[in-house]
Amino acid sequence: MPATFTPKNVEIERKHTGIGGKPPVDRRPTGGGGDGDNWDNRPSGRRGPRELLSRYRLGVLFALAGDLMFFVALVSAFFVRQSAGHFDARENYVSDWHPIAVPPILWVNTAILLLSSLTMEIARRQLFREIDVMEEWLGLGRPAVKRAAPWMVVTVVLGVLFVIGQWIAWGQLTQQGFHFNSPDPSSHFFYLITGTHGLHLVLGIVALAAALGALFTLKRVELRQIVVDCTAWYWHTMGIFWIFLFVLLAYFQ
Amino acid sequence: MRKLFTTDHRSLGVLYLLLSLAAVATGTLLSLLMRVHRIWPDTPLPLLGLMKPEDYLALVTMHGTLMVFFVLTVAPQNGFASLVLPGQIGARHMAFPRLNAISFWLMALAFTILISAFALPSGAPLSGWASYPPLSAIASAGPGQGTGMDLWLLSIGIFCVAAWLGAVNLLATILGERGAGMTWSRLPLTVWAWLTTSILTLLVFSVLLAAAVLLFSDRHFGSSFFVPLNDVVNGHVVGRGDGSPLLWLHLFWFFGHPEVYIAILPGMGLATSLFANFTRRRVAGYKVMAAMLVAIGGLGLLVWGHHMFVSGMNPYAGTAFALTTMAIAVPSTVEVIGWLSTLWGGGLRLTTPMLFALGFLSFFIAGGLTGPILAQPALDTYLHNTFFVVAHFHLIMAMAGVFSVFAGIYYWFPLMTGRMMNDLLGKLHFWISLIAAYGTFLPMHISGLAGEPRHYERLAGPVVSFSEILPNERGITWSAILLGAAQLLFLWNLFASAKRGERATENPWQATTLEWAPEIPRRRIERGPYEYENGGTESMFRPQWESASKQE
Amino acid sequence: MPWAPFNGSLEGARIDRLLLYNLIAFAIVFALAQVWIIVVMLRRKPRGNGLPAALRWAMIAVFGVLYIWTGIAAQRLWANSQFAGPAPEAMQVEVTGAQFQWYFRYPGTDATFGAVRSQLVDAASGNPLGLDPADPASKDDVVSSLLVLPAGREVDLRLRSLDVIHGLFIPGMRLKENAVPGMILHVHFTPQTPGTYSILCSQVCGLGHARMQARLLVVPEKQFTEWLGVREHLRQAGLAGGVSRP
Ligand code: HEM
Ligand SMILES: [Cu+2]
Ligand SMILES: [Cu+2]
């Protein structure tokens, strides 16, 4: 009989995957078993301490690539819509596109978001400092967690500030008479772009908070690295997306 | 229960396949109702009564949506990949087993939402699977365009996310989980196909999602992305700004064309493997075949405008898209010639999976040849949205696609159940389906050339009666009924064999690829995927799980 | 052509010819390929090792040439009809699609289409297109649900839609172009043979899609002038506010 899907020892194996009996410090060219022992020649799940990390990084990378296309589609709709118009009664070509000036608070928000990326990067690096990782791996204490946690808290606060800032910007726009359903296409795009990006950020904040909690509950150091590392990459990418979207809204209306 | 909420990739593969089985059964029933209605438009149907025009259009819309998304995406891309992809690359599991389960449940949710549109008092949406606005943007444009259309958008939105998660998982698995020694040139061609379709999925489903968000916002938040100024529907001015319906067409077909390749590429990869196996030959030009799969995927992103030649798109753009479309015909031709030459003098082993793979090839050629005709804008002016196009895509996408799925099921059935499917029933299923499918879809060319547009609820209108093609249409309907009936054989075979089928031997097809390995190899893989040796009557083959030094 | 409705336009003949060549070429390839499959299924004894690579590439080259030929041939026709505008003396007719009816508007003696306003659209009271009575140019516009065209004269159709996307499809003229709301699209062709042709809607537009049909009457020039004259007269007399049925 061929290998049918009788429950395999998959579950058991998963628990041990990625350890390879080595501390999750920077990858060495060889597997450490001497003489050309390359991680890659081993079956998956035995490819050294960084295997799991790179798997998750890959996943986040692809997910973000898809997300990028989402925003690319929105942006191309933006440009198409911007150039649209119609002929009025006197056969003049008119467009209903009226550029809106972005509320100045967006500059502050942008600065906050950039800063939060910086703090997040500092937090992320804490988890990859070799001495601390060794210490955590050997179970002597949690210096990396202790160092990273405050920076992550700062990131969460900055992230929340950014979202509040966006909220304020929306309020200012509404006061000027630009609602989502006011007939202006540029305001639809403003709300849609900032809205979908804001939604991504809210998800990011939730992820950050979860990662923060996980820092203290996860037992294995390489898992702690993964949660922080993946949220960090997500966070940075949202920052980069924001810069592009902000430039679009501020200068390409 | 444990089995239902599993994260095991093989069980999930079976679940995906069951989901698409439910969808294909529903979709087929809908299509039979349409066929019957077209030739007896004024005869009340049992249970359903007299069908109204909007009912017919709702059937078309739901049929198309079910088949494209829930059958031809779910089965080849998610179902088979979950079932065998980890095995084929020598991995133990998917990169993210739980994500795979989430993606399945999202798809099941999307399916339920879509189907529930039928239960609405206003009925299911009727704007076709491409949902062109303003028809799809304005609730008063037709029955079913209110809540029904909202459910459609919601379902598609969820499906996009699910497909996207699935693709992330497949890519991470292919890139990160290959067994030791599983180099790029040792991958079976199915894996190359999944690699390509996953990239396509990431790129285009997110665009569809964005388009769906824009359309939803037009419907409910008073924006005007797709509805032009002063649009009057049902006596009310609904257009508020300079929206452009063409924008939707571009976004939709940017998704829509790659989507058809997502549906067919896995089948192409599988057919290549089966041809090699059942001729006991190496694949002629493995590298070329793999490269062409990727090339088709890449070019597939550049041809969407061939669905828009008469849509009001700039005619120079029409020329450009016509040229890219001609270009994509070249890699497709290379694939076909590769298959034909593998088969030449191959002394085929005509097992049931092989028959279905040959059926796939036959349909792929039949439908593929009308592609370059439709790609000529001057000819497409006449043929666009007629039954000629319906014939084209049913042959190449529906029939070729479904036959490749059948081939896969007959072939991998032992992996799912440890049993073989009944051979005699399988062959009967094949021959009846083949003949009935040609009987259904070839005559559609004739209707199309006679100028019969698609989405027509009845042939006879106030001006034209199309009476001269009525016999042709009758034949199509009877053929379609036969085609549907033949699938009962398959269902019977499927469930009976799962229970009582003959026990499969280890590696029943004498295959070389890794999903048939008795256990997951712990050793380095040292062989290519198709090392068959055509040694007279007694054939030799070297499975990938054997080491290179053992033989010779 | 037995397989398609009678072609009554000048341009259609070339389209038909090209289509026929295409169908023949691809039908032959189809038949050969299917025979190939049947033969390999019947010959049960393995021989050889598949086709030699050189032969494979030669076949691919043949197809490459075939695609290039089809591409070029079709582009010539496309360029003729789409890149070049209509002749200046071409007749102007406006076609408007609305759920589920085609309307044809002739500009009248001033050769100018009057203004239309969506707010005025009211089919029940006889102004389905929303002609603006304030615009002098609209006074003599003739709106008809029948398309009458003189034989042998080029026509420039101006395509609009009031509500959703429709598809103007005149099989007998080998003509198809979508009517897209918010856009004004132009197509031009020359009806040649007098007769009656059907006009269909080729883009699903709602529950009446299959019933959205109209007639095209191609008549000799003289008869056309007469017909239009009567219409103009009725219009001036205020007998038919906007639309007049045949
Ligand atoms: C040789 C390669 C191919 C060429 C040149 C080609 C060309 C075309 C063209 C020009 C159209 C537009 C016809 C029209 O709407 O007027 C079309 C429609 C279509 N094609 Fe293909 N095609 C090819 C292969 C495929 C494949 C491999 C599939 C699917 C597996 C496919 C599926 C479809 C579908 C589903 C439509 C209709 C979409 C709709 O309007 O609903 N085609 N094809
Ligand atoms: Cu396409
Ligand atoms: Cu219509």
Side-chain angles (χ1 to χ4, degrees), chain C residues 35-122:
Chain C
V35 168
W36 185 307
I37 296 176
I38 294 168
V39 167
V40 297
M41 284 170 80
L42 292 179
R43 297 206 315 184
R44 303 309 293 276
K45 259 187 75 184
R47 64 199 87 189
N49 229 336
L51 290 191
L55 196 55
R56 281 211 311 269
W57 289 110
M59 284 165 68
I60 290 164
V62 170
F63 279 98
V65 172
L66 184 66
Y67 297 142
I68 293 172
W69 165 67
T70 49
I72 293 175
Q75 281 314 315
R76 286 226 301 274
L77 283 186
W78 178 249
N80 281 349
S81 72
Q82 299 274 332
F83 295 175
E89 68 276 11
M91 196 177 80
Q92 303 276 324
V93 184
E94 186 190 77
V95 182
T96 307
Q99 284 178 329
F100 300 98
Q101 175 91 41
W102 290 109
Y103 297 103
F104 307 98
R105 181 157 67 128
Y106 298 80
T109 38
D110 63 355
T112 316
F113 292 108
V116 285
R117 292 207 284 127
S118 319
Q119 287 74 12
L120 300 176
V121 169
D122 188 356

Side-chain angles (χ1 to χ4, degrees), chain B residues 235-257:
Chain B
H236 296 283
V237 179
V238 292
R240 299 161 38 107
D242 292 318
S244 156
L246 276 197
L247 175 59
W248 169 270
L249 268 70
H250 280 291
L251 293 175
F252 183 85
W253 288 117
F254 179 79
F255 150 79
H257 188 85

Side-chain angles (χ1 to χ4, degrees), chain B residues 308-552:
Chain B
M308 300 172 59
F309 288 138
V310 303
S311 69
M313 182 177 69
N314 183 321
Y316 294 99
T319 297
F321 281 118
L323 296 180
T324 51
T325 307
M326 283 299 169
I328 207 172
V330 173
S332 314
T333 309
V334 175
E335 290 277 327
V336 171
I337 288 177
W339 295 327
L340 289 176
S341 96
T342 309
L343 294 176
W344 189 248
L348 316 189
R349 296 183 175 179
L350 292 178
T351 57
T352 312
M354 180 59 165
L355 284 179
F356 275 97
L358 289 168
F360 159 86
L361 175 58
S362 171
F363 288 129
F364 192 83
I365 293 171
L369 285 171
T370 46
I373 298 183
L374 292 170
Q376 301 167 47
L379 302 184
D380 188 58
T381 308
Y382 182 63
L383 298 170
H384 175 66
N385 271 2
T386 65
F387 263 77
F388 197 87
V389 176
V390 179
H392 160 70
F393 69 75
H394 275 94
L395 284 171
I396 195 158
M397 173 148 153
M399 287 306 108
V402 165
F403 269 54
S404 73
V405 172
F406 280 138
I409 290 178
Y410 281 102
Y411 183 68
W412 283 316
F413 193 73
L415 286 185
M416 300 187 237
T417 59
R419 295 169 191 273
M420 306 291 282
M421 282 181 82
N422 184 302
D423 202 44
L424 185 68
L425 276 177
K427 288 189 168 140
L428 211 58
H429 173 217
F430 168 76
W431 285 109
I432 301 178
S433 299
L434 182 83
I435 292 164
Y438 269 125
T440 308
F441 297 112
L442 274 187
M444 283 188 185
H445 292 106
I446 297 174
S447 291
L449 288 170
E452 163 75 359
R454 65 197 276 211
H455 291 134
Y456 262 30
E457 158 254 341
R458 59 181 69 213
L459 290 166
V463 174
V464 217
S465 72
F466 286 108
S467 56
E468 71 284 359
I469 57 168
L470 196 59
N472 191 37
E473 291 286 321
R474 288 220 182 86
I476 294 177
T477 298
W478 284 114
S479 233
I481 293 173
L482 178 63
L483 182 58
Q487 306 320 308
L488 297 177
L489 281 179
F490 171 72
L491 283 183
W492 168 258
N493 193 352
L494 193 67
F495 290 111
S497 305
K499 275 225 171 75
R500 294 185 296 275
E502 176 197 339
R503 293 236 164 239
T505 53
E506 199 165 282
N507 197 359
W509 311 111
Q510 299 180 299
T512 47
T513 43
L514 277 178
E515 77 269 30
W516 298 101
E519 63 181 60
I520 297 149
R522 305 205 155 254
R523 200 183 328 100
R524 216 184 135 76
I525 286 133
E526 287 161 339
R527 293 179 176 284
Y530 302 113
E531 300 207 350
Y532 297 105
E533 218 64 62
N534 206 342
T537 44
E538 196 46 43
S539 73
M540 317 232 291
F541 66 106
R542 307 201 178 113
Q544 279 185 291
W545 59 88
E546 280 179 7
S547 76
S549 49
K550 196 172 143 192
Q551 285 283 337
E552 261 8 66

Side-chain angles (χ1 to χ4, degrees), chain B residues 228-243:
Chain B
L229 198 66
N230 291 332
D231 202 37
V232 194
V233 172
N234 245 335
H236 296 283
V237 179
V238 292
R240 299 161 38 107
D242 292 318

Side-chain angles (χ1 to χ4, degrees), chain B residues 124-140:
Chain B
L126 47 70
S127 43
W129 82 284
S131 290
Y132 285 2
L135 183 56
S136 59
I138 288 155
S140 63

Side-chain angles (χ1 to χ4, degrees), chain A residues 136 140-147 215-219 224:
Chain A
E136 295 210 355
L140 301 177
R142 294 208 173 171
V145 171
K146 280 207 194 81
R147 246 179 274 203
L215 261 191
F216 293 98
T217 48
L218 283 178
K219 296 233 157 43
R224 293 198 289 271

Side-chain angles (χ1 to χ4, degrees), chain B residues 113-351:
Chain B
I113 292 177
L114 186 71
I115 290 292
S116 66
F118 272 126
L120 295 172
S122 54
L126 47 70
S127 43
W129 82 284
S131 290
Y132 285 2
L135 183 56
S136 59
I138 288 155
S140 63
Q145 294 308 93
T147 320
M149 190 64 212
D150 283 333
L151 288 185
W152 189 90
L153 277 177
L154 183 63
S155 164
I156 295 309
I158 296 176
F159 191 92
C160 288
V161 175
W164 183 47
L165 296 179
V168 167
N169 209 342
L170 288 185
L171 280 173
T173 308
I174 298 174
L175 261 67
E177 304 293 304
R178 277 169 292 133
M182 188 43 106
T183 55
W184 291 106
S185 57
R186 289 180 186 151
L187 289 177
L189 283 162
T190 38
V191 178
W192 278 101
W194 283 317
L195 181 69
T196 315
T197 57
S198 303
I199 295 173
L200 288 180
T201 304
L202 275 192
L203 296 180
V204 303
F205 269 94
S206 18
V207 172
L208 180 65
L209 182 61
V213 168
L214 294 179
L215 186 57
F216 193 81
S217 141
D218 266 11
R219 293 171 59 82
H220 294 289
F221 308 136
S223 57
S224 58
F225 298 114
F226 303 125
V227 185
L229 198 66
N230 291 332
D231 202 37
V232 194
V233 172
N234 245 335
H236 296 283
V237 179
V238 292
R240 299 161 38 107
D242 292 318
S244 156
L246 276 197
L247 175 59
W248 169 270
L249 268 70
H250 280 291
L251 293 175
F252 183 85
W253 288 117
F254 179 79
F255 150 79
H257 188 85
E259 162 65 14
V260 304
Y261 285 110
I262 293 172
I264 205 71
L265 285 175
M268 294 167 73
L270 173 61
T272 321
S273 304
L274 293 190
F275 292 152
N277 183 335
F278 295 110
T279 54
R280 317 307 293 171
R281 280 181 169 170
R282 283 157 202 257
V283 170
Y286 168 88
K287 288 221 169 89
V288 177
M289 296 298 259
M292 289 302 134
L293 286 178
V294 179
I296 291 176
L299 281 172
L301 289 167
L302 304 175
V303 301
W304 76 89
H306 66 218
H307 298 269
M308 300 172 59
F309 288 138
V310 303
S311 69
M313 182 177 69
N314 183 321
Y316 294 99
T319 297
F321 281 118
L323 296 180
T324 51
T325 307
M326 283 299 169
I328 207 172
V330 173
S332 314
T333 309
V334 175
E335 290 277 327
V336 171
I337 288 177
W339 295 327
L340 289 176
S341 96
T342 309
L343 294 176
W344 189 248
L348 316 189
R349 296 183 175 179
L350 292 178
T351 57

